[in-house]
C-alpha cells in the first residue's frame, strides 16, 4: 500500500488544512503542489483524477480519492482527539465547520484572493465581502471571549478549519486588531500546529 497523496496549493488555506491535520497526526504523505493561479486544477489530467477541478484533493493510501477540505480533515482525523468524543461537542464542531464553508471562507478567503492575487482595487474588491467578512470575524470574536478554543477546551477541526484563512485576513484588508479574542486564538492555534506567525501574510 502506498502513502497518502495531497494535491494542494500552498497559497490555499483549504489545502493547508489537510496538510496540518496529516502533520499533527503524523500521517505520512506526499504533497503535490498544484497551482490554482497557473490553472493546474483544470488540466485534462487533473480533471481525470478529480472531476471537481479543485484542490485540496487527496488520494488515500488505498487509492481512493476524496475532495473538500473539511471532508478530508474529518477522514484523516477519524478516531483522533481532533474530533470530540462527546456527541454534543462533536455537533458543535460540525456547526463551525458548516459555518466556515458558508459564511467565512466565501468572504474572507475570496476577498484575500481578490486583493492579494488578483490585485483588485477599491470597489472591485467588493464592499459586500468586506461587510460580511467583518460580521464573520465579529461572530468569532464573541464566541471566543473567555474561551481558548471553539469547542470544549481543546484543539479540534473547528479551530484548524477556521484558522486557515483567518490568520491571513489582513491580506484581504480586514483589521484583525479589531478582534482581540480572535488574535490571541490565532497565536494559540499557530503554536499548537507549529506554524510560524510570520507565515501569516
Ligand atoms: N469547498 C472546497 C473549496 C475548494 C476550492 O475552492 N479550491 C480552490 C483553491 S482554495 C481551487 O482549487 N480553485 C481552483 C479552481 O476552482 O479552478 C474545499 O473546502 O475544499
Amino acid at each position: 500500500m502506498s502513502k497518502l497523496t495531497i494535491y494542494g496549493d500552498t497559497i490555499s488555506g483549504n489545502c493547508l488544512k489537510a496538510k496540518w491535520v496529516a502533520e499533527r497526526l503524523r500521517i505520512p504523505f506526499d504533497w503535490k503542489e498544484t497551482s490554482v493561479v497557473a490553472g493546474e486544477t483544470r488540466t485534462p489530467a487533473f480533471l481525470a483524477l478529480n472531476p471537481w477541478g479543485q484542490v485540496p484533493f487527496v488520494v488515500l493510501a488505498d487509492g481512493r480519492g476524496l475532495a473538500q477540505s473539511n471532508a478530508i480533515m474529518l477522514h484523516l482525523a477519524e478516531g483522533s482527539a481532533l474530533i470530540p468524543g462527546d456527541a454534543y461537542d462533536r455537533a458543535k464542531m460540525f456547526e463551525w465547520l458548516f459555518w466556515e464553508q458558508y459564511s467565512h471562507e466565501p468572504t474572507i478567503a475570496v476577498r484575500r484572493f481578490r486583493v492579494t492575487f488578483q490585485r483588485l482595487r477599491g470597489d472591485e474588491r467588493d464592499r459586500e465581502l468586506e461587510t460580511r467578512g467583518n460580521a464573520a470575524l465579529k461572530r468569532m470574536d464573541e464566541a471566543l471571549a473567555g474561551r481558548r478554543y471553539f469547542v470544549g477546551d481543546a484543539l479540534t477541526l473547528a479551530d484548524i478549519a477556521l484558522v486557515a484563512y483567518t490568520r491571513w485576513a489582513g491580506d484581504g484588508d480586514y483589521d484583525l486588531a479589531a478582534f482581540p479574542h480572535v488574535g490571541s486564538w490565532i497565536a494559540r492555534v499557530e503554536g499548537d500546529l507549529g506554524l510560524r506567525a510570520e507565515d501569516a501574510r
Side-chain angles (χ1 to χ4, degrees), residues 66-114:
L66 188 62
Q68 293 295 325
S69 57
N70 290 353
I72 293 167
M73 289 201 303
L74 283 159
H75 186 69
L76 298 182
E78 177 84 19
S80 80
L82 293 175
I83 300 177
D86 176 80
Y88 178 76
D89 282 353
R90 197 163 55 249
K92 292 298 285 182
M93 179 193 77
F94 278 114
E95 184 179 67
W96 284 111
L97 292 181
F98 293 129
W99 181 82
E100 184 261 349
Q101 285 287 293
Y102 190 75
S103 300
H104 180 280
E105 192 262 13
T107 55
I108 298 192
V110 169
R111 193 168 153 90
R112 165 184 177 250
F113 193 79
R114 291 188 184 179

Side-chain angles (χ1 to χ4, degrees), residues 120-139:
L120 301 185
R121 299 278 166 250
D123 277 347
E124 292 177 322
R125 295 171 170 191
D126 195 336
R127 294 266 176 241
E128 174 72 13
L129 285 183
E130 184 179 5
T131 306
R132 287 170 48 216
N134 275 316
L137 291 167
K138 181 167 177 287
R139 175 74 195 95

Side-chain angles (χ1 to χ4, degrees), residues 81 84 89 146-156 159 188 192:
D89 282 353
R147 305 187 60 87
R148 288 159 29 89
Y149 298 99
F150 277 99
V151 180
D153 191 29
L155 182 79
T156 69
D159 301 290
R188 184 172 308 115
D192 290 343

